[in-house]
Amino acid sequence: MKPKKRVTIYDIAKKLNLTASSVSRALNNSSHVNENTKQLILKTAAEMNYKPNSLASNLRKGKTQTIGVVVPRINQNFFANVISGIEEAIYQKGYNLIICQSNENHEKEVQCVNTLMNQHVDCIVISVSADGNDYSHLQNALDHNIQLIQFDRVAENLETLKVINDTEQASFEAVSHLIEQGYKRIALLEGPQVLGIFRQRRDGYLNALKTNNLPVDESLIIPNSWTKEQTTANVRALLSMPNPPDAIFASRDDFSALGVLEVANDMGVKVPEELGICGYSNEAFTQITSPSITTVDQHAVYIGQTVSNLYFHEAEAKGKEKESRNSPKTISIKPKLLIRGSTQRNK
Amino acid sequence: MKPKKRVTIYDIAKKLNLTASSVSRALNNSSHVNENTKQLILKTAAEMNYKPNSLASNLRKGKTQTIGVVVPRINQNFFANVISGIEEAIYQKGYNLIICQSNENHEKEVQCVNTLMNQHVDCIVISVSADGNDYSHLQNALDHNIQLIQFDRVAENLETLKVINDTEQASFEAVSHLIEQGYKRIALLEGPQVLGIFRQRRDGYLNALKTNNLPVDESLIIPNSWTKEQTTANVRALLSMPNPPDAIFASRDDFSALGVLEVANDMGVKVPEELGICGYSNEAFTQITSPSITTVDQHAVYIGQTVSNLYFHEAEAKGKEKESRNSPKTISIKPKLLIRGSTQRNK
DNA sequence: TTGTAAGCGTTATCAT
DNA sequence: ATGATAACGCTTACAA
């Protein structure tokens, strides 16, 4: 089999005794081309199995109709769903998606952003990694006039478009719900406090206690741990205290909540009677454990759609008026507390 | 703020009274450039905040160092993990990944493949959607001399590299395990039979029954259903039979296994005492339900790594000898049966 | 409506 | 070791 060069618009032009410009026009259905020749060109292009070369086209046009996303991990439900939301929305506009994962590694994140810049994506959508708080790579992207949209985990003092959850409020509601159910000693499993979203979850927790005149017991606030084993050990220690908590808000994520449930089962602690458990992020499994786990849904898909809409809205605006670019607009989406079995006491 | 044009190698060249070729050479650290000037160029490039334009470079070189992946859904654990595996492996070689999801939709899948071809990816990695069995778009890619690697759900009579699981064997082992545990009437929840992997799971099931001289009862074989509600209804009907099954092999996936567990809990059927449950694909939650769910681990990350290795291996081979391209090699990976609580009877 | 020609930012092939 | 130049495939003024 011979190498078989890819057919270009020149090949089509030659075959039809036309010129490349006409072919290009027809292919982009410009109005400045005769309807008949246009049909002819389209037909021959199909016959010759022509595939446009996006590289060339993008290089020439200076834009790629491509959006790049950087997330810590794509195999986390929340991110996978946000990406689905973005993808769905941009796809129908003929845009493409390049997905990179930083693996929670700052260096890799920098590399991802650079790659995307080199690829000349029209927009970079990012949720920053938990590792490191140097955002010069993002500033750099901004300096290069690249549309930047942050979501969920955002570098706050970077002036970009942002789509976030009202995390503190959600956290406040979750803890308030626990208090309503009669839980009085509520422990908190924290996420990494370098990230704003986890500080906000802590703030919401503290706020709810304060609002309800409950004391804050520092020994009930457990700092983030990176391994499952460590989490399990922490929870076990917590439940073995002389004066153990009667509820645990696993603000880190549902996986830690699941860990709590496991330990509770293991130690014979009844959920929700003796221990209330609330997780965060509405992983699919929280619905089917027994008891099912109360959690916070972040509307991930909707966040993705919002990001896309924001981009297109901004892109249009940029087209019309000058200088509206990278206006530091922030859209806040209200998460929803899903009350399930793990916090519903049969009083 | 002025538009700020991106700096090119010409800008660097001009500043240093050199020519673009030298700058290019230095940037690609060619051997044909003086060490001093090279350092100088590198330094100035950094100072000027130069970012290479991959579009131009790729267009010129005719290759993109980019691999495209098409999967039904990225928010399914299995696929997310395969992608992670691929990404990790190719990243260190300086390759990029473009991820597309077909949403189990044939038309969208075709579109994805076309997009990737237009983007001139060096390789397309695909797991085909369950919808439709027309693979002309893939044949087309092959005709265009694009390296194609299929994994998991493969179009069998397409001559490409393939990385698959030994699904039938895994399924056989799963059912054999159920039989060993003393279950005698084993029902099967099928996945969509258009896909080979699901036919193989069925074959493994039938084979295990036959090998153990157990009768095949067609009323225990439940065809795939696309909604959770339907699955639940099916399982309920199954367990309400006068002569109900004492085990269910949810060969479709762990979510259907979870559905079974739910229904069983709901109906007061004890797992594993009265009903054994085995799922497929080792979703994270199967470890933490109670009882935990016996399932089959497909080594998703490893599949991803294998795909990458296969690509690089093939790429090298192609470099050396002519005509080894697209040899229809198939690598089969043995899945692992994870025996957990849902099938371990305390006899 | 169609053709001509320049240019997007690189890299490769010649020269020098 | 460096420079000049063509080419990758496409789009787009401008001209006809």
Side-chain angles (χ1 to χ4, degrees), chain B residues 181-205:
Chain B
Q181 292 287 313
Y183 298 108
K184 295 205 161 13
R185 276 179 63 73
I186 302 170
L188 175 73
L189 300 191
E190 291 186 324
Q193 297 289 303
V194 270
L195 291 177
I197 51 163
F198 293 113
R199 292 196 300 271
Q200 288 152 25
R201 293 183 199 178
R202 180 199 170 105
D203 290 346
Y205 163 83

Side-chain angles (χ1 to χ4, degrees), chain A residues 116-132:
Chain A
L116 292 176
M117 290 181 69
N118 297 349
Q119 304 263 19
H120 279 236
V121 296
D122 294 343
C123 172
I124 294 180
V125 177
I126 190 171
S127 196
V128 300
S129 87
D131 167 44

Side-chain angles (χ1 to χ4, degrees), chain A residues 69-89:
Chain A
V69 202
V70 184
V71 293
R73 303 215 123 88
I74 60 165
N75 57 1
Q76 274 176 29
N77 228 268
F78 172 70
F79 294 118
N81 284 322
V82 173
I83 292 174
S84 284
I86 297 176
E87 212 247 346
E88 208 176 318

Side-chain angles (χ1 to χ4, degrees), chain A residues 192-259:
Chain A
Q193 297 287 305
V194 270
L195 291 177
I197 52 163
F198 293 113
R199 291 196 300 271
Q200 289 152 25
R201 293 183 199 178
R202 180 198 171 105
D203 290 346
Y205 163 84
L206 293 174
N207 227 314
L209 293 188
K210 194 163 145 200
T211 306
N212 290 275
N213 297 312
L214 287 177
V216 173
D217 183 342
E218 286 290 343
S219 66
L220 295 183
I221 300 182
I222 312 298
N224 175 61
S225 58
W226 289 103
T227 70
K228 193 190 164 185
E229 288 68 31
Q230 187 57 51
T231 307
T232 304
N234 289 343
V235 174
R236 196 170 287 274
L238 212 44
L239 296 182
S240 308
M241 286 171 68
N243 187 11
D246 58 3
I248 298 183
F249 177 32
S251 80
R252 184 180 197 267
D253 56 19
D254 284 329
F255 284 94
S256 57
L258 202 72

Side-chain angles (χ1 to χ4, degrees), chain B residues 55-72:
Chain B
L55 291 175
S57 167
N58 291 338
L59 173 60
R60 181 58 235 250
K61 289 195 292 200
K63 55 208 240 25
T64 52
Q65 302 247 116
T66 298
I67 289 178
V69 203
V70 185
V71 293

Side-chain angles (χ1 to χ4, degrees), chain A residues 131-172:
Chain A
D131 167 44
N133 56 354
D134 167 24
Y135 300 120
S136 52
H137 56 306
L138 299 183
Q139 185 56 55
N140 192 235
L142 286 177
D143 292 344
H144 277 267
N145 244 274
I146 291 192
Q147 181 65 269
L148 194 64
I149 304 182
Q150 299 189 81
F151 74 92
D152 196 50
R153 302 161 165 208
V154 301
E156 278 152 31
N157 38 24
L158 219 54
E159 297 210 336
T160 70
L161 294 170
K162 291 172 193 143
V163 178
I164 56 171
N165 276 139
D166 189 346
T167 304
E168 184 175 342
Q169 173 63 17
S171 177
F172 178 87

